[in-house]
Each structure stands twice: as C-alpha cells, then as structure tokens.
Amino acid sequence: MFVWNFRIMPKLKDQNKVEAIHKATIELITKTGFSGLKMAEVAKKSGVATGTLYVYYKSKEELINDVYVNTKKEISRAIINPEYLKDTFYDTFKAMWYGYFGYCLKHPEKMMFVEQFIYSGFISEVNISVTESYFEALNQFLIDGQKQGVIKDVDMEILKAYLQGSIHEIVKMVVKGAIELQKNDMHTCFTMAWNSIRK
Amino acid sequence: MFVWNFRIMPKLKDQNKVEAIHKATIELITKTGFSGLKMAEVAKKSGVATGTLYVYYKSKEELINDVYVNTKKEISRAIINPEYLKDTFYDTFKAMWYGYFGYCLKHPEKMMFVEQFIYSGFISEVNISVTESYFEALNQFLIDGQKQGVIKDVDMEILKAYLQGSIHEIVKMVVKGAIELQKNDMHTCFTMAWNSIRK
DNA sequence: AGAATAAATGAATATTTATTCACTATAAAC
DNA sequence: GTTTATAGTGAATAAATATTCATTTATTCT
C-alpha cells in the first residue's frame, strides 16, 4: 500500500505577492489613512484574492504592523549607510541628511505611512522597541557631534524631531504640488537645517 | 377656527452641542484617523443621540469639513494677531512663532487633526481656497521680511513648510511623551528656527 | 394655556467591509 | 504520474457602522 509522504520544504509563498501586498497597503494607507484601508482594495491593487491576504496574515492589523516594521528598517538604511561616513562631522551629517531627504522624495508614501502609523495608536509595544533599535547608530553619531562641540546641546529627541519635521513637511508640500523643488532649493534647505543645529 | 402660526425666529440649535460635537470629532480623529471616526462614538462623547448629529449635519463628511474650516480659522488667529505687531521683523516673527508653538502645545489634537485632514483627500476644493485666504497676512509679512533682506530668499512655501514642520514634529513628540519641554528648550527651539531662516 | 413647529431621540434599517470556508490549482516527495 | 500538503480563490457570512424615521420633547407665538 502507501507510505506517508512528509514534506521537507514547505511550498514557498510567493515573494512577489508579499511585495505587491506591501506596496498596495502603503499606497492605500497614504490616501485614506490607517482605518480607511480596505482589505478588498489591497487585494485588488496587489492582484490577489481577498482570501489570499489571510493566507499571509492573520488579520488586517497584523498586515499593517508587518509593513510598518519592514518600512522602518528600510528607512534606517537610507540614513545609516557606511558609505556616508566621512572625515568630518559636517560632511557625514550632510551625507545623511541628503540620504534621508532623497529617500523621502523617492518614497513619500512610505514616509507618510510611517508618520501616520506612529500616532495611530495601533502600533504594538514590541514594534516600538524593535524599530527604535534600528536608529541606535544615528543617536550615537549625534551625541558624538555634541561632545565634539560641533552642534547644539539640545535634547536628542528635540534635535531629531526638528530635523525630521522640517524634511517631512517640505516633502509633503512637494507631493501635494504646492512646492516645486529646484536643485538649488535643496541646497538651501540643507543650509537651513545645518544652521539650525550648528553651534 | 385657527389662524396659521408662522414662526419668526427658528428654534435655536444648541451652540453648546455644536461645540461638544466639534470637540469630540477632533479628539476622536486624532486617535483613530479620519476614516476611523465613528458617528456613534462622536454622539456618545459629545452627549447627544446619533440622530441628532444628522439634525446638524447632512453626513459624516460634512461634519468633518465643517470642523476643519472652523479649526483653520482658529489657528490663523493664533498666528496672526494685532498684539504681535512689534517694531522689528525679528520681534514680530518671534511673537508669531511663540504664538503658534503655544497654540500647538495647548491644542495638539487640533494641530494633528488639521495635519491629517489636509492629506486625507477628503478636503473639498472650496475649503482649500477658503482656508488659504486666512493666511494671506502671514504670507505678506514674510515677503516683506525678504524684501527687507532680513530673511532668506527661499520659496515662500518652503519657508512655511520648514517652520511649521519643525514645530509640529516637536509638539507631536511632546504629546507622545518622548520629549519633556523645559522653558529653556523652547527658547532653543526658537533660536534654531530663527537661525535657519535669517540671512 | 393651546397650537404649530422644529429639535432631539434611539431603535430599526441599510450599507459597507472584514473574515471565513468549501473548493481548485499547484508544488514537493516518491 | 500519483499522492499529499499547502497556496490560492472568491462567493457567502458575520460584524461593524452610517443613516433613517416614527416618536417624544421643547420652544415660539398667539
């Protein structure tokens, strides 16, 4: 008769589908907000059946949390990059600032998704600390700058909030169409940022 | 028999109720986002029956738009205030900056509500131009500063985005509990803002 | 006080949307 | 190529939520 057939390798979930689902989720949330996200729309936009979403995720909430952690990791890599390390604090800061500004311009929907999510009250405690750890190196870099006396001795969180807030708002205006960024404007923005934190 | 009884003054809608409804709407949207707003929750929080909401507003969308226009007007008054007019550009700017920062600290839920709404895609064209008109005087003030050569010749929208973005982000951090603002910090923040736009 | 009108109510209804589930298609092991 | 397990499907169901409406309450005017 028959011997039982135990599977070694599970049949793989389609990585393209995962990416399509993430992409659709981010784009839809940017438009309609966290609570406005509809699973049917995610399914349609990512080209899978609604039921498939539940093969990948237990619930809408789990889907969104997964997308969040993923995106935060991607963002940390846009700021913290070995290539950005230069000889002076100023030059490294400049590289990081442009790295993040460039990322936001390229992926405004991801920037806005993360921004919305943080204040939505749906983020789990676990994910807060997981994602904070991604930015340890940035904190260390800024603390060093303060120790060297290159930048202002402001509370670290205020410093980061200030830098991030100005970038986000400008990018949002660009997306909205209220601002057309010329090459020169970007340089001016960086100068504004640097002047605000330098000692 | 009976003579018909035509009413001169309509029975008044309760202004306290309007205010309670607005307040509840703002607070709930801050927590759960635009689409997360539930009419039943608005009713409960503002102490009226669900049906009453439809006496005052045709739909949820109309309610939110009304709250938005109202809040924008209030915000414009927090920035543009005859008392703030001083002898120098610097002093007037300082008064305005503190006026807005103070308003945001006092009413973070209103600040966040407006921020969320702008990008929600539910704002009507009419309301965009109505609310923009509230800020004409601010634009004029900043243009004057540029003409006088006191502040950088940056695109006006970039300038405003930069100033607003940094304030918003810091206030959001304060609300989140990630920052504890000391008296001194506020002054430092102002200095950062001024250093970023001064010539 | 009594008639007319409009505000206010909240249970009932209509609509929207998350989730399930019976079924089909496909990949892994033999 | 046959078997088995799991991915994938989408119509059906369950749950959540906006809106309506018959009724009650309060206000204005004579």
Side-chain angles (χ1 to χ4, degrees), chain B residues 37-55:
Chain B
L37 184 74
K38 280 151 206 160
M39 293 303 259
E41 284 183 5
V42 173
K44 195 178 172 192
K45 190 156 194 158
S46 55
V48 302
T50 55
T52 308
L53 296 176
Y54 290 85
V55 174

Side-chain angles (χ1 to χ4, degrees), chain A residues 158 161-162, chain B residues 75 78-80 84 93-108 111 163-175 179-193:
Chain A
I158 295 183
Y162 193 95
Chain B
I75 289 176
I79 303 177
I80 302 159
Y84 295 166
F93 176 78
K94 191 170 180 177
M96 285 179 161
W97 189 92
Y98 271 95
Y100 186 53
F101 203 127
Y103 177 89
C104 290
L105 280 176
K106 200 170 171 187
H107 307 287
M111 174 197 92
L163 292 169
Q164 170 169 288
S166 49
I167 289 178
H168 282 195
E169 192 70 24
I170 289 170
V171 170
K172 285 191 284 186
M173 288 292 170
V174 173
V175 172
I179 292 178
E180 239 192 288
L181 259 202
Q182 313 294 333
K183 239 181 270 178
N184 201 24
D185 291 331
M186 197 139 163
H187 179 67
T188 313
C189 286
F190 171 71
T191 306
M192 285 168 74

Side-chain angles (χ1 to χ4, degrees), chain B residues 16-25 28 39-49 53:
Chain B
N16 292 330
K17 282 208 183 67
V18 174
E19 273 166 32
I21 292 168
H22 277 213
K23 190 161 177 278
T25 304
L28 288 168
M39 293 303 259
E41 284 183 5
V42 173
K44 195 178 172 192
K45 190 156 194 158
S46 55
V48 302
L53 296 176

Side-chain angles (χ1 to χ4, degrees), chain B residues 153-166:
Chain B
D153 277 320
V154 197
D155 176 297
M156 187 54 56
E157 295 303 318
I158 295 182
L159 207 63
K160 286 194 291 181
Y162 192 95
L163 292 169
Q164 170 169 288
S166 49

Side-chain angles (χ1 to χ4, degrees), chain A residues 1-5:
Chain A
M1 268 294 280
F2 300 126
V3 173
W4 232 249
N5 192 351

Side-chain angles (χ1 to χ4, degrees), chain B residues 34-89:
Chain B
F34 178 70
S35 307
L37 184 74
K38 280 151 206 160
M39 293 303 259
E41 284 183 5
V42 173
K44 195 178 172 192
K45 190 156 194 158
S46 55
V48 302
T50 55
T52 308
L53 296 176
Y54 290 85
V55 174
Y56 286 73
Y57 302 99
K58 215 173 62 209
S59 68
K60 179 176 154 179
E61 193 161 332
E62 202 181 79
L63 160 64
I64 293 172
N65 267 276
D66 186 50
V67 175
Y68 173 71
V69 171
N70 239 275
T71 309
K72 266 296 215 185
K73 191 179 274 167
E74 192 180 296
I75 289 176
S76 74
R77 292 210 202 92
I79 303 177
I80 302 159
N81 180 330
E83 282 180 35
Y84 295 166
L85 279 173
K86 314 282 175 188
D87 290 339
T88 64
F89 180 89

